[in-house]
Amino acid sequence: PPVTSPALKKIYRRILRGAPLASLVARRKWTILRAILSQWPPPPHEVPPADASRFLCTREGDGGDTALHLCFRGHERALMAPPDIVRLLLANCGPSDASVRNGSGRLPLHCACLAADRGHVCDVLALNPLAAMVQDGEGRTPFLCTMLARGEHEMAG
């Protein structure tokens, strides 16, 4: 069912209390996310711009993942965010959002590469081209993550 205006107002109140977008991605609340991101940014009278920006890039849980990291979690298609959610999120992200490391030292690009999500790797890379050379906590670049993911997929297939 579509998210109504009172429901969006409730979400705006959660944003003001510091609830991160990542929590909605982690809980797989795709309908709510579509409603929020398709109307992003929220009206300034509902959510001040500084709070809206914090909502997009706040980390979730012990792993320190942002919403962008979590879109590719599990490195399995069934656990990843639907493509339209990823597109909406990427449309509202900036270079700083693509530069946040999680608890493993990975950028969102590392996670997209590990997920072997070819469709979005280029989109994430476009937000932060220098991310291609960044090593995660284990010394792996996104390119190496892609090669490792390809090897796992080939061995599983």
Side-chain angles (χ1 to χ4, degrees):
V3 176
T4 61
S5 184
L8 277 176
K9 287 185 181 287
K10 180 179 175 183
I11 291 167
Y12 292 157
R13 286 192 300 275
R14 286 183 47 135
I15 295 169
L16 290 171
R17 289 194 312 263
L21 179 72
S23 68
L24 294 172
V25 176
R27 294 186 347 243
R28 305 170 57 83
K29 300 291 186 177
W30 308 136
T31 302
I32 294 170
L33 282 162
R34 279 184 190 95
I36 292 170
L37 293 172
S38 65
Q39 298 175 43
W40 198 262
H45 67 278
E46 293 282 357
V47 179
D51 290 322
S53 177
R54 185 183 70 238
F55 176 69
L56 280 177
C57 63
T58 300
R59 298 164 189 245
E60 171 73 6
D62 296 334
D65 290 316
T66 66
L68 203 48
H69 288 98
L70 290 171
C71 281
F72 309 107
R73 103 178 136 182
H75 317 306
E76 297 174 19
R77 287 254 178 247
L79 297 176
M80 291 181 357
D84 65 312
I85 296 290
V86 177
R87 278 191 301 276
L88 285 167
L89 185 57
L90 287 170
N92 290 290
C93 286
S96 62
D97 301 311
S99 302
V100 176
R101 291 177 181 261
N102 67 10
S104 300
R106 291 185 180 134
L107 300 173
L109 182 60
H110 287 95
C111 296
C113 289
L114 282 168
D117 187 352
R118 294 180 195 153
H120 292 110
V121 166
C122 290
D123 296 330
V124 177
L125 185 59
L127 283 175
N128 181 6
L130 296 177
M133 305 312 293
V134 174
Q135 294 180 351
D136 66 11
E138 296 176 1
R140 295 187 268 189
T141 62
F143 177 74
L144 182 55
C145 290
T146 299
M147 300 312 295
L148 292 171
R150 289 186 68 191
E152 289 174 14
H153 291 285
E154 288 173 6
M155 288 179 13

